[in-house]
Amino acid sequence: MQYVEFGKTGAKVSRLGMGCMRLPSHEADGKTVFDEDKGIALIHRAIELGVNYFDTAPYYCDRQSEIILGKALAGGRRDKVWVSTKNPIENDSGDDYQKRLENSLKNLQTDHIDFYHFWGVSLDAFLTKVKAKNGPFERAKKLKEQGMIRHISFSFHDRDAGAEEGNRLIEILKNGEGVLESVLAQYNLMDRNKEVGIALAHQMGLGTTVMGPVGGGRLGAPSKVIQDLLPGKVKSSADIALRFVLANPNVNIALSGVSTIAQLEENAAIAGNTGALSKDELNTIEVMMKENERLAGLYCTGCRYCMPCPREVNIPEIFTIMNYHRVYHLTDFAKKSYAEIGKVDWRKYENASKCVECGVCETKCPQSLPIRAQLKETHKVLTA
Ligand code: SF4
Ligand code: SF4
């Protein structure tokens, strides 16, 4: 395993971090049941492989993730690792913020959180809730003085896509300067619009962690298109994706949410091998990904001008899922994602079958896309 200074926090962290959002589970009576013993074994194996940064959150794995991580670290392992968890900023109350922290401490069987994140804040939430008078920001500073929080952090995934997303990350960094010590943001081969913000965070001395280095599982699925970026030189899509992220000197930790020991060992082997991509290899990837993005853009640019839809069909999200199939040939992932629509928190919208063909969206699309026809095609292909 390779280790790196985590910004100016004083922590020396493994370049591979374990995301505890996909702990082992099975289906029983139509419900997902998390396998505590397997989860604990997976975390123990990660520690054996040299991983020393573990990221969780109160709602991960049906609220079991913090508890399983706590059990795995009890009995002598807690002080060997850095624990990261998150506070959902549901309101601007400092008291509520503290209550949620205390609950996480209980779940994790610890008296302090090493990296405590304002969870998934948008710029608006950061300014109006986190930084409200006597709100979470002020309380976090007090709790840090008391030792319950070691480092104040934030995670960012502003939902609106596009160039502005990166700029909003920069605004949060500026508004939290001197207090925020690390950032967690999405970054991978197919989602690079926070690259500039991550570089600025690194320059400001924050520790930088990226989530979804293998595209939240997208790039873990075999894809000839992705592997053909460097023909013959990479073993799998996950290999190229993880090496791409780790080749960025502004990224300290790549978090990977694994479910099996085999995935964990594969990722640890990649992170332990210095085989970062060369400049030429990065250039080749850059050119080919741009071309793929251009192809994706021919279908839908994700501008969201077509929204809202009166039937709550999230057109750009559905077309993004379709593009994983159409452009990157990640068909299994696309089908799985499509099936999640309406069933998981991060896909709370309707699928294409709810479109009543009113045509309102098409009058607003600058690409003049035949949205109704494409939605029909998407539903047909991704439910086949
Ligand atoms: S045509 Fe379909 S997707 Fe477009 S606005 Fe109407 S219901 Fe929504
Ligand atoms: S307006 Fe057109 S290009 Fe923009 S997100 Fe909607 S469908 Fe895609």
Side-chain angles (χ1 to χ4, degrees):
M1 183 57 60
Q2 297 181 69
Y3 297 87
V4 69
E5 294 294 334
F6 196 41
K8 292 186 181 154
T9 64
K12 198 154 189 181
V13 291
S14 51
R15 294 215 71 200
L16 180 70
M18 180 168 163
C20 300
M21 75 290 278
R22 284 189 208 98
L23 292 175
S25 64
H26 65 272
E27 296 296 314
D29 299 330
K31 282 191 184 152
T32 304
V33 179
F34 289 90
D35 303 321
E36 193 174 291
D37 290 346
K38 284 188 184 167
I40 292 171
L42 190 63
I43 292 162
H44 288 175
R45 181 71 184 125
I47 296 172
E48 273 171 19
L49 290 165
V51 173
N52 72 1
Y53 187 98
F54 290 82
D55 179 81
T56 179
Y59 303 153
Y60 285 173
C61 304
D62 202 12
R63 298 177 189 257
Q64 296 301 302
S65 176
E66 285 189 335
I67 294 167
I68 294 173
L69 180 59
K71 287 186 180 174
L73 299 180
R77 290 180 175 87
R78 170 67 185 91
D79 293 336
K80 294 189 173 74
V81 303
W82 307 103
V83 169
S84 151
T85 190
K86 314 187 184 83
N87 192 312
I89 304 297
E90 286 159 7
N91 55 37
D92 63 2
S93 157
D95 286 347
D96 286 357
Y97 173 84
Q98 181 164 342
K99 273 186 210 142
R100 290 192 288 266
L101 167 66
E102 285 164 358
N103 200 43
S104 287
L105 290 172
K106 201 165 124 217
N107 288 342
L108 285 157
Q109 304 186 37
T110 184
D111 61 0
H112 69 277
I113 305 295
D114 298 300
F115 296 94
Y116 196 47
H117 295 73
F118 300 117
W119 190 0
V121 283
S122 61
L123 175 60
D124 181 53
F126 188 77
L127 296 176
T128 59
K129 292 183 186 162
V130 175
K131 290 202 82 177
K133 198 165 184 292
N134 298 321
F137 196 74
E138 292 307 317
R139 187 63 62 96
K141 288 197 277 183
K142 282 193 189 127
L143 294 167
K144 186 181 165 188
E145 280 165 20
Q146 292 168 20
M148 290 157 82
I149 298 173
R150 294 290 155 86
H151 303 281
I152 300 172
S153 308
F154 74 107
S155 69
F156 176 84
H157 31 108
D158 220 326
R159 292 296 294 164
D160 297 335
E164 275 184 23
E165 186 181 20
N167 297 341
R168 290 196 289 267
L169 171 57
I170 290 170
E171 284 306 308
I172 294 182
L173 289 168
K174 288 181 183 161
N175 278 281
E177 195 166 0
V179 173
L180 298 173
E181 296 175 88
S182 79
V183 57
L184 169 62
Q186 168 105 6
Y187 174 60
N188 62 57
L189 263 175
M190 299 195 302
D191 180 2
R192 297 177 58 182
N193 66 5
K194 288 182 264 323
E195 209 161 63
V196 177
I198 291 168
L200 178 67
H202 178 69
Q203 198 186 320
M204 289 168 72
L206 278 78
T208 55
T209 306
V210 300
M211 52 188 160
V214 288
R218 293 193 280 278
L219 302 176
S223 160
K224 195 168 168 336
V225 174
I226 304 283
Q227 286 184 53
D228 281 354
L229 292 175
L230 292 177
K233 291 193 173 175
V234 287
K235 288 194 232 93
S236 64
S237 303
D239 183 2
I240 191 169
L242 204 49
R243 285 169 67 199
F244 169 79
V245 169
L246 292 171
N248 185 334
N250 299 315
V251 171
N252 296 144
I253 301 173
L255 271 191
S256 188
V258 289
S259 303
T260 65
I261 295 217
Q263 286 167 352
L264 172 70
E265 290 178 345
E266 184 193 3
N267 287 349
I270 298 163
N273 169 357
T274 43
L277 298 166
S278 69
K279 213 166 170 209
D280 280 353
E281 287 172 332
L282 285 171
N283 283 344
T284 307
I285 289 176
E286 181 110 10
V287 169
M288 293 191 66
M289 289 308 282
K290 281 253 148 48
E291 177 59 11
N292 286 343
E293 272 168 29
R294 191 185 66 78
L295 284 174
L298 288 180
Y299 300 111
C300 168
T301 61
C303 68
R304 304 182 72 87
Y305 289 133
C306 52
M307 297 295 284
C309 154
R311 295 293 163 143
E312 297 188 7
V313 176
N314 192 328
I315 303 158
E317 296 268 347
I318 289 171
F319 287 169
T320 298
I321 291 172
M322 182 61 166
N323 280 339
Y324 291 129
H325 155 69
R326 197 155 33 181
V327 181
Y328 299 104
H329 300 187
L330 294 164
T331 305
D332 289 348
F333 171 75
K335 283 186 171 179
K336 188 168 161 278
S337 303
Y338 191 75
E340 284 175 351
I341 294 175
K343 294 186 187 139
V344 293
D345 280 355
W346 58 92
R347 298 197 200 281
K348 269 192 187 155
Y349 48 85
E350 299 292 351
N351 74 26
S353 68
K354 292 289 184 299
C355 168
V356 292
E357 303 193 40
C358 68
V360 172
C361 51
E362 290 182 14
T363 63
K364 297 188 275 186
C365 176
Q367 304 291 106
S368 304
L369 293 182
I371 295 175
R372 289 172 285 187
Q374 288 207 4
L375 283 174
K376 266 192 187 166
E377 189 201 339
T378 298
H379 190 75
K380 195 168 146 208
V381 169
L382 297 185
T383 55

